[in-house]
Structures are given as structure tokens and as C-alpha cells.
Amino acid sequence: SSFRLINQEEQPVHRCRRISDGVERAECWWEVKSAAKSPQDCEVIPSISTRNGCYIRIYSNLATSENDMTLCEKIPSASDVYLCKLAVAQTHPKYSEEEAKSIIADRAMGVMRALKEKNMEILATFVHPNKPLRFWSTNGGFELSKEKIPSFSRTKQNIPVYDGSGLPFTFTQAEYYQAYVYDRDYLNAPEVSYKLSYYSSATTIGDQFEKYYQEDPITATYAFPQSSPDAAMDWRNLRLWFTQEDGIWYLREIMQN
């Protein structure tokens, strides 16, 4: 680009202002945004969207590096404030993966055995007496109280689920279980992770951040990776969400991705 040929000792801001071509000028301001090291460096950018992008990068980096969510509040866009807080939560969980594994691995395995055997009575023993268990997938789900879990497979309740068209169709609880809870042998999944993740997939954020963040959750994820780089999107995982109360780790959610 022609602006790169201007005296390289000149301040980038002055270089950008001297460029007449709109596309190259925008590219120059983008470089200023990318090189900014403080909020003050962002203030000189004339484009609101580029300036806001600069603030997002600066404050998100500061908040993450300092583990301070209050810095996220300085970002102009509410949606980006949320993403900034999410990044801090992911980067600084209360428990490391090794700590989480030592705390929850045995309890998570008990849940997985109950799911594999469809033993709802045992599954209910892991659930909080006053907080329902949430069954969830990327297509929808429902909640059940501890008392109703033992009759799970016998209940005829219809559950609305949304396919790719956005149109709902219904499952009984037993059908939902087969399709969206234990659709593979997750107990013997080749990959098990205790790393906290609020993402349903690489690009999709669930609502678990709002639901569980204040309770310092631990997750156990049982995964079947994509079978090969050329295969269809055949990966699956089942994630168990736990939160602690009075020294007991309760199962709060079973989430299929």
C-alpha cells in the first residue's frame, strides 16, 4: 500500500491523516488499532467502529491479564463486555484442570455409569434437592426436579427441540434421552477433559456463563473427536456441570454438543 512508502519515522497517526485514498486510509487506521498499547492510543482513531474495536482489544487484554472483570465495563458495546467477561472467566477459573479432576472425576464417573445404565434412581442422588437438573443440547432441552428424575423414561411429556430450520418438533423424554443425552458410549469416550469451557462448540457460546459463573463450576467433558479431517462433522461430546454447596458437588446440567 502507498501509505507504507511514507517516511517510516513519521508518527502512524500523521501518516494515516495524510493518505487520500479511503481504503488505504482505513487500512492505516486498522494498523494503528492493532498496534495500540493503551486506551489513549485508541482515542485518536476517527472511525467509531475501528476505535471501539481498539478499546475492545485493549480492555479485553488488560482484563484477562489482570484477572479483573471490572475493566470489561469500559468497553462501549454491551455484547463485547459480555465476551470480555467470558474470556476472563475462561482464562482464570477457580480450579485448574488438575484440581478439577481430583475433585470431580469419581463423582462424574458415577453419573456416567448411571446414564449408561439408564438408572435414573442413581442419577437423582447426584442432584441438588432444591435446584433442578437441566438436560440441554444445542437444539433445546428441559429441567427436572430431583423428585421427578426417577420417572424420567416413563414420562410422556413432549419436549420442543429445534432443528436447523428453526422449526420445533417434539420428543418424549425417553426419545430425547436416546437422541440428545446418551447417544454414544460416553462412559468409554476416548477423550475426557476437566478444563472449564463455556463454549458449546468452537464458535457457539452457551448460557452456562450466566447460570453458573458465580458458583465457580467444574465441568467434566466426555468427547468423541471428529473421526478424520475429511469426515463429516461427526464429533460429539457430553459435558457435565457441577456446582458446590455445603461441601457437596451437585450435578446441575447434562449438556450434549
Side-chain angles (χ1 to χ4, degrees):
S1 299
S2 61
F3 75 82
R4 300 179 192 277
L5 303 178
I6 299 174
N7 181 2
Q8 294 299 303
E9 295 182 357
E10 187 177 17
Q11 290 294 318
V13 170
H14 298 311
R15 278 194 283 133
C16 295
R17 289 172 177 163
R18 289 176 52 179
I19 297 170
S20 59
D21 181 82
V23 174
E24 292 187 356
R25 186 168 61 249
E27 184 180 349
C28 183
W29 284 118
W30 186 268
E31 287 198 356
V32 171
K33 183 201 82 166
S34 300
K37 293 181 172 56
S38 72
Q40 291 72 32
D41 294 336
C42 302
E43 292 173 1
V44 298
I45 300 173
S47 165
I48 293 175
S49 61
T50 304
R51 184 168 67 246
N52 286 349
C54 184
Y55 286 133
I56 290 167
R57 187 178 69 81
I58 292 295
Y59 284 120
S60 293
N61 289 344
L62 284 173
T64 301
S65 63
E66 298 180 17
N67 190 17
D68 184 357
M69 281 192 184
T70 63
L71 292 171
C72 298
E73 301 290 347
K74 298 180 180 293
I75 295 174
S77 163
S79 61
D80 289 304
V81 169
Y82 171 81
L83 291 175
C84 175
K85 290 182 176 181
L86 180 63
V88 175
Q90 293 254 121
T91 308
H92 300 280
K94 181 175 182 179
Y95 305 99
S96 69
E97 186 169 3
E98 283 303 311
E99 290 171 333
K101 180 179 180 179
S102 67
I103 291 169
I104 214 68
D106 290 344
R107 195 160 179 80
M109 188 60 69
V111 170
M112 296 305 293
R113 290 195 190 98
L115 291 174
K116 181 179 175 67
E117 297 167 4
K118 297 184 180 179
N119 192 328
M120 299 295 105
E121 288 79 9
I122 294 297
L123 183 65
T125 65
F126 294 96
V127 178
H128 192 283
N130 301 313
K131 295 177 182 178
L133 173 62
R134 188 189 198 206
F135 293 86
W136 199 251
S137 77
T138 51
N139 294 325
F142 61 100
E143 294 181 342
L144 285 179
S145 65
K146 182 183 182 79
E147 293 75 18
K148 292 184 178 180
I149 291 172
S151 61
F152 182 104
S153 61
R154 300 189 299 274
T155 304
K156 300 299 183 182
Q157 171 193 358
N158 286 336
I159 303 160
V161 174
Y162 291 79
D163 65 6
S165 70
L167 299 175
F169 55 100
T170 59
F171 284 93
T172 64
Q173 287 185 358
E175 290 168 339
Y176 183 92
Y177 187 94
Q178 185 66 33
Y180 292 110
V181 180
Y182 207 83
D183 61 320
R184 294 198 183 182
D185 186 12
Y186 291 108
L187 179 63
N188 296 302
E191 296 180 2
V192 181
S193 171
Y194 301 92
K195 182 178 181 179
L196 182 65
S197 176
Y198 291 101
Y199 286 82
S200 301
S201 66
T203 57
T204 305
I205 302 170
D207 65 351
Q208 289 77 18
F209 176 65
E210 295 98 326
K211 290 179 71 66
Y212 307 125
Y213 169 70
Q214 298 293 339
E215 299 181 68
D216 294 318
I218 286 179
T219 59
T221 305
Y222 298 78
F224 287 88
Q226 190 165 324
S227 57
S228 74
D230 299 325
M233 294 288 287
D234 58 352
W235 63 271
R236 292 284 189 281
N237 68 55
L238 193 71
R239 183 171 298 153
L240 308 178
W241 289 81
F242 295 88
T243 60
Q244 183 183 206
E245 186 172 321
D246 297 328
I248 300 173
W249 285 93
Y250 292 104
L251 178 65
R252 299 292 301 282
E253 181 168 330
I254 298 173
M255 178 183 184
Q256 185 232 53
N257 296 311

